[in-house]
Amino acid sequence: MVRLWWIPMLVAVPAPALAQQAATPDDDAEILVQGRAQQLYRTLVTTVGKSAQDPLDIPQALQVINHDLFVDQGARDATDLYRNISGVSAFSYAGVTFRGFRQDESFYDGMRGNPFIGFSVPQLFNIDRVEVLKGPAGLFFGPGAPGGIINYVSKTPSDRSALRTVVTGGTYARAGISSEATGRVDRDGVVSYRVGGFFEAMEPFRRNTLNKMLIGDAGLSIRTHPGGLLTLQVTAYDSYLRANRLRGVLVDDKGRFLTSIRWNANEKSDWLHLNSTAWSARYATTIGDAISFDAGVRRFKSTERQQYHEPRGRSTTNPDLVVREFRDQVRPVDGLSFMANATATTTLFGMAHRFQLGGDWYREDNGLSSRILRSGVLPLSLSNPVYGRSSGDALRARALPFTVTDTRARRVGAYAQDQISLTERLLLVAGVRWDRFEDAVRVATAGRVTSDSGYRDSDVTFRGGLIYRPRTDLSLYASWSEGFDPQAPASQNRDAGGPFAPVTGNQVEAGVKSRLLGGRLQANAALYRILRSNLLQVDPTRSPVNGVDPLSPIGEVTSKGFEVDLTTDITPRWVLLVNYGYNDTRVTDTVAGQAVTDAIGSRFANAPAHKVGFWTRYQLESIGTAFALGGEAVSSRISRSGQAVRPYAIFDASITKSLGFAELMLRVDNLFDKVYAASGFTRQTGHFPGEPRTVLAELRTRF
């Protein structure tokens, strides 16, 4: 277990020095700031294209959610942000539905290496902003799902002395404290630091549950010369979730819960424990006025341990009982990532060019040791669950051998892109990327290897686009981009007919981006079509081999839709954010009677046709108070088993009061206590219920 008890003490060390350097009465005396969208929410620069660039010059839809919006909304983890992103909705745990497709992978500072493996959700304490690039992002990020990527950009050291502390409390016994400090190590600010600690505990609404999250984050930045900066960072996470791995609550075919949403298949003795540490080093420099270069390395090691009761559906003899099995699992992951990028601007043949070159390499060793106890595990009643009678299941499971699955993945790629100013208003973008991957999986039970397979391949993908800027604050664009995603290593089993070529895909997109009225109005719209081919399905024309169903690449999926995002200052004190996404994702080519993963017939699981999110905040400067209201509406969906997932609309509200030396925020989520399913899963495990009405209070101080 990672010991992080020292973090609050470490954070407190700089406090005396910071107190001496506290802001003057005219500097940061008022924490609340008017015109939040224009001054704080507006996005002028993004690095989602691997180098700093104006979003209006990127021929693809994107969104950037910065730290100021985190603070105003009281966001804690990634799930708190989905309502701000058009085309994105919850799937399960940290996974999302992204333009109709399931997406589980995240990037940190432009590199692979998500420390929240398996069934844990990314936290936002040490995150400065979240960048979302929509559609195939293979040119810059390599193989992946076609819906898009989410890139978490870390907070970094600063030479400005500052100390921020937040104390939280709320319903479900919620209590926590966090603190972070930045400042100079030396008088000239050549070396600066950041150190932070976060702790929060609560007993959520599901029976038997208890969540504890502990984060420690420290970093140093070293200015090597006026244009160069080296940043070193280490972050440790310790997450303990009692009565987890948390599954859903069973529903009928119309999506109605069969019992209270507090129901949980897990005993109080069940648990999930994640220990994770990530180290990173990033160097960025400029060479004159025309060239910039950056390189990074990221290493992480995570271990997620689980002992829990898995629901296996209702009993055939008594529908009030849910059959269960006990699972004991260990998931170690070791990942290492490198990247390097260079950007140069020059003039050739009378036209301005912006060249980008880069490459990345990633290694991940992923393990799963699992043993499952199926006999003698007591079922659990839906109407009157009685807990505490299954504490011996963990001891009995120890007599079983572990089945060990070792998965090894290697990725290497390089890209080149040129952005050409054909005229002052017309830009042409063209890029190419080469990738090579190697995947292997070995399965052994009690030391005996039962399966050993692997596959390697390479691919070349392209990206092109046109951007027309009739005004400096408006751009119209059209683009075409390709991507691919290697088949799951387990699917490369030779008995199943493997190895198989990757899933391929492309997207055609057109849209408009704007930053009008001096930045007061930021409005974007996009229309897209994604085609994904080569998906594997069971081949009904062939017989099983050694008990393994044969697979064939006989699936195709088409996703079509449009999205609108609006951020505006209605008045200097009133801000509004609205997003809407329409999506139609369907299987367009398949074998009769077969379905691709996460699809039922022609429809995809957890892919809503309509999703709306909004957030508005009004500040009464005369009393130093801001009032906010937010909401999300999601249309009907289906689960992975074809059960209905009912539509829902929920609303949140908050009040933030300036106290001079601090500010106090009171937030109420699910204002009208709506009972709803955030997403569907399977018939055996049910739908994931959304949180009932909850109250959160934050006291924030900053010096």
Side-chain angles (χ1 to χ4, degrees), residues 55 57 65 94 108 115 124 127 214 234 362 378 383 434 446 450 569 574 627 629 634 689:
D57 287 339
I65 304 171
Y108 281 75
L124 300 176
I127 301 302
L214 196 57
V234 59
Y362 183 61
L378 295 176
S383 60
W434 170 85
T450 57
D569 283 345
W574 187 6
F627 300 89
L629 179 69
V634 178

Side-chain angles (χ1 to χ4, degrees), residues 1 7 98 111 119-120 125 214 271 311 339 386 416 499 516 544 549 596 644 663 673 681:
M1 176 178 176
I7 291 171
F98 207 147
M111 294 177 282
F119 304 92
S120 300
F125 167 70
L214 196 57
W271 49 270
M339 73 167 183
V386 178
L516 305 172
D549 288 329
V596 300
E663 66 180 13
D673 205 18
F681 206 58

